Amino acid sequence: MINSIRGTKDILPTEIPIWNFVEQTLRRVSNLYGFEEIRTPIMEKTEVFLRSLGAETDIVNKEMYTFVDKGGESITLRPEMTAAIVRSIIQNNLLFGSNILRLWYFGPLFRYERPQKGRLRQFYQYGAELVGSSEPEADVEILLLANSLIEELGISNYTLKINSIGNSTSRKVYRDVLVNYLFEHKEQLSKESKERLERNPLRILDSKDQGDQAILANAPNILDYLDTESIGHFNRVQTLLQKNGIEFVVNPKLVRGLDYYSHTVFEFQSEVLGAQDSFGGGGRYDELFQQFGGGQVPAIGFALGIERIIIILEHLKIFKQKLEPLVFVAYTNPMYINEVISVAETLRKNRIPAIFDLKKKSLKGQLKEANKHNATFALILGDEEIAQHRATLRNMNDSTQSSIPLDNLVQHLTLNITNANPTVSNIK
Ligand code: HAM
């Protein structure tokens, strides 16, 4: 047996309804906020990510699926979408004629991480990017969209953590102060944090190591080092969130794992997820366009991890699947198979989903099969039915049966389907 690659996952037919529900909800709410969908290739030139995410980030250092293609070009399976979207906006001149872009996307990403609950090597993200405004109102617009998406999905018990990492000047000042402080405690830091001290000290703030956390408890606070502009921006974001009834917690240690951020950064966390507690995150990236040669274009965005959202929905047991109606056309004798095919086709032509047995099973076997497929009705053709040009309609939920004329089949079925209206929970 050949198994799937470690950290990748098949999404099986039983799981598709919840995925469809999530995708449809994300699409509907994005539309309410005026965001348009964009789809970019799953592979990009490696340079797209090297240039943007930060040479010292875990993603670039350890997690990218990079290979040289047959033409000798270095290619990377996208580990995130924001850099690819920026590349696409510049290449396709999407900002031309409009100074604000509202974009959303949905698709698979690839990171070579150590797989565990909620952490995969191929996973899906929904994301949204609001491009062209440096105003705090844009930050709030993005947070309102994220909040609506999460609530419309049915998730109410979560924490929004926000922070400001200021502009690059104030961040540099803070970085030096933090490094000085941490150097004094270097020997007590974890191995990973010691390494980060040289290369990416701000990430130490994120450390889950208990020893590190004890040292960090007295570390200088980034919010004390923001300049007036950065503080003003962050205060306005908080005021607007409060005015709109969005609850949040300010966490000065929230720095995020990508280098392109400035000013507002945020994460959505849920206790249901355990160690990987963040099901979404994002922030402002006012300097990323410049790194791609795209000029001064401020932007902000976020992404939600779909597998993590599905773990939460399954835990909450709130997702009820509305079953699509399905008619199982059954026969008492294989000699009626021609009639069965023709009846099934009539139903399909009238937009009623229909299947039938392809293994010439007994009627009992066919009804079992109908149940397995969650059929709403079985439509049985037997000697008597064929002779009278009728069919027996069996409601698979309550086993009641009635006889209906084949001539008015579609009208009869449509009426019965409307009345049956089945729902089932797909949470096991
Ligand atoms: P990120 O925090 O790296 O941000 O990822 C966002 C979300 O993707 C995480 O909160 C998590 O739910 C999910 N995720 C990340 N890695 C994995 C994994 N290995 N397995 C399963 N889920 C995962 C970004 O990617 C930014 N591009 C977000 C952004 C958009 N910032 C601005 N615009």
Side-chain angles (χ1 to χ4, degrees), residues 87-97 101:
R87 193 268 308 138
S88 174
I89 292 173
I90 298 170
Q91 181 179 341
N92 297 296
N93 208 4
L94 294 186
L95 273 165
F96 183 77
L101 272 176

Side-chain angles (χ1 to χ4, degrees), residues 58 141 155 157 271 307:
D58 284 351
E141 190 70 351
I155 302 171
N157 203 358
E271 282 175 6
E307 287 81 359

Side-chain angles (χ1 to χ4, degrees), residues 29 46 52-53 55 92 100 120 193 212 250 299 336 346 392 406 427:
V29 179
T46 302
S52 53
L53 310 186
N92 297 296
I100 297 282
L120 293 144
S193 293
D212 289 350
V250 175
Y336 297 133
T346 306
T392 298
L406 282 180
I427 311 287

Side-chain angles (χ1 to χ4, degrees), residues 80 82 111 113 118 120 125 129 256 260-261 278 280 301-302:
E80 67 104 52
T82 310
R111 294 185 192 174
E113 295 197 77
L120 293 144
Q125 270 187 359
E129 313 290 349
R256 311 260 308 125
Y260 52 60
Y261 291 115
S278 170
F302 68 97

Side-chain angles (χ1 to χ4, degrees), residues 309-362:
I309 283 185
I310 288 175
I311 292 175
I312 301 173
L313 292 182
E314 285 180 342
H315 176 87
L316 297 176
K317 297 197 193 307
I318 45 174
F319 173 69
K320 292 266 187 296
Q321 178 198 350
K322 187 171 177 302
L323 278 185
E324 289 301 318
L326 176 68
V327 177
F328 194 99
V329 189
Y331 45 86
T332 55
N333 187 325
M335 73 186 196
Y336 297 133
I337 191 78
N338 290 353
E339 284 81 356
V340 165
I341 295 174
S342 130
V343 165
E345 267 302 274
T346 306
L347 296 180
R348 295 158 179 167
K349 292 278 174 331
N350 286 281
R351 301 192 180 174
I352 299 173
I355 54 170
F356 57 90
D357 168 47
L358 287 166
K359 292 185 114 177
K360 313 253 164 78
K361 285 188 181 159
S362 66

Side-chain angles (χ1 to χ4, degrees), residues 59 79-82 105 109 111 113 118-121 123-125 128-129 256 258 260-261 267 278-283 285 300-305 307-308:
I59 295 187
E80 67 104 52
M81 285 284 281
T82 310
Y105 50 81
L109 304 179
R111 294 185 192 174
E113 295 197 77
R119 191 161 71 192
L120 293 144
R121 291 183 173 170
F123 61 97
Y124 283 74
Q125 270 187 359
E129 313 290 349
R256 311 260 308 125
L258 297 152
Y260 52 60
Y261 291 115
E267 271 182 17
S278 170
F279 63 93
Y285 51 96
I300 180 161
F302 68 97
L304 302 174
E307 287 81 359
R308 294 189 190 174

